Amino acid sequence: MSSTSSVVLNTGVSMPLVGFGTYKLCGSEEVYIAVDAALQAGYRAFDTAAVYRNEADLGRALRDLLPKHGLTREDIFLTSKLGPKDQGERAMEAALHSVSELGMDYIDLYLIHWPGTQGVAVGDPCNQGNRAGSWVALEELHAQGKLRAIGVSNYTPAHMKTLLQSCKTPPALLQVEFHPRLCQTELRRVCEEQGVCFQAYSSLGKGELVKHPVVMEVAKGCERTPAQVLLRWAVQQGVPVLPKSSNTTRIQENMALFDFSLAAAAVERLTALDDGHKYCWDPSEVA
């Protein structure tokens, strides 16, 4: 990775622009093989979550493999997330459990995964109180150094504005669905104005966008894969991405984003696909 392939969070810490997503990676062997391939390909950031149920396997794989690749804990950037069932009073205990499961002394970035609470109706105002309680717990663990940076995922502009008005420690990052069909203009503006890093997940639209005719045309024109084009579209705008794969070739391809760039016309063609389409979850109804 080049020297330009990272972003600096509002905590002053540098985070790689390309991280390795681990959603749906399960079982110690699958995790181990994928992490080995990712480290070999140059990934230095890894994204997990309590609900992925692979924190322990990821931690074990990293502890075992880092020496093999001549790396230490300080060379990698680890992200995990608070599960919706632990929103509110259980947040501190759950965050510390993630630290323990990963077998690390600290987590580089810890996010509230979802603005709602499991088992609570989406329109229930309790969701807002639970989010606020979770954030206070994360602020405390951040102050203790257990969580080097804290942030949120799947927040809407309204959720972000409420948090930014009430927090002592501002969020370092917002992780949301982002791709040419969902350009998230308002959320990006809120993040930019407030110094919050905007990070993408589901850059490939659950695999659907790699088959889109416009994406395929752009890819053919620059002799890259459709996945590389979609990922480059984001990083060229300074948006960090989290490609995920258990296929060694695709793991390598998804990291090969810094030896080419998209022409301005190609970026515009892709951005023009924006129609607000969500392939994943819709948090807009969560109170």
Side-chain angles (χ1 to χ4, degrees):
M1 289 174 72
S2 73
S3 59
T4 55
S5 55
S6 62
V7 289
V8 178
L9 303 181
N10 60 19
T11 56
V13 172
S14 187
M15 182 186 82
L17 260 175
V18 182
F20 187 73
T22 66
Y23 178 53
K24 290 192 174 175
L25 271 186
C26 57
S28 56
E29 187 177 0
E30 185 179 40
V31 170
Y32 190 95
I33 292 167
V35 169
D36 196 17
L39 289 169
Q40 184 65 41
Y43 291 82
R44 296 296 179 263
F46 294 84
D47 179 275
T48 183
V51 298
Y52 300 172
R53 297 184 178 182
N54 60 15
E55 289 173 311
D57 288 332
L58 176 61
R60 267 194 300 273
L62 286 168
R63 288 195 304 277
D64 195 34
L65 288 164
L66 287 175
K68 172 187 169 182
H69 292 274
L71 300 168
T72 67
R73 168 67 182 94
E74 287 66 39
D75 295 316
I76 58 162
F77 190 99
L78 267 180
T79 300
S80 194
K81 311 179 197 79
L82 177 75
K85 73 179 178 63
D86 296 316
Q87 190 85 274
E89 291 180 0
R90 292 201 293 246
M92 183 171 291
E93 182 186 349
L96 289 171
H97 183 67
S98 284
V99 176
S100 173
E101 284 286 282
L102 285 160
M104 307 289 177
D105 294 328
Y106 63 92
I107 294 175
D108 296 277
L109 175 65
Y110 193 77
L111 311 176
I112 294 177
H113 204 158
W114 180 252
T117 308
Q118 188 174 310
V120 175
V122 289
D124 192 322
C126 284
N127 285 306
Q128 189 171 337
N130 288 343
R131 276 198 303 280
S134 295
W135 192 255
V136 170
L138 267 55
E139 287 179 322
E140 191 171 325
L141 291 171
H142 173 62
Q144 293 173 15
K146 289 288 185 185
L147 311 175
R148 294 281 174 92
I150 53 177
V152 293
S153 182
N154 296 300
Y155 273 36
T156 65
H159 297 145
M160 286 298 289
K161 286 168 187 171
T162 302
L163 173 60
L164 288 161
Q165 284 164 4
S166 62
C167 63
K168 289 179 184 173
T169 304
L173 179 144
L174 167 67
Q175 185 187 114
V176 290
E177 181 179 352
F178 175 74
H179 43 69
R181 290 192 64 188
L182 188 65
C183 290
Q184 301 275 24
T185 308
E186 187 183 358
L187 263 177
R188 287 189 70 192
R189 186 173 63 248
V190 170
C191 287
E192 193 172 342
E193 287 171 356
Q194 300 295 330
V196 178
C197 178
F198 178 94
Q199 183 181 47
Y201 75 71
S202 201
S203 295
L204 312 186
K206 287 191 166 179
E208 293 296 315
L209 282 172
V210 299
K211 297 175 277 190
H212 194 287
V214 171
V215 177
M216 291 173 76
E217 275 181 43
V218 171
K220 189 177 180 183
C222 60
E223 299 182 332
R224 295 287 171 154
T225 69
Q228 286 172 323
V229 162
L230 288 162
L231 294 164
R232 178 67 202 183
W233 173 82
V235 300
Q236 195 162 310
Q237 300 176 66
V239 175
V241 292
L242 296 164
K244 59 180 187 288
S245 180
S246 55
N247 178 288
T248 302
T249 302
R250 284 199 288 272
I251 287 170
Q252 292 169 344
E253 287 175 349
N254 291 344
M255 176 52 92
L257 306 176
F258 300 101
D259 59 348
F260 78 105
S261 60
L262 298 173
V267 173
E268 286 172 18
R269 280 190 77 192
L270 293 166
T271 304
L273 298 176
D274 186 18
D275 60 359
H277 185 80
K278 292 183 174 78
Y279 290 97
C280 303
W281 307 272
D282 185 0
S284 62
E285 306 212 339
V286 179

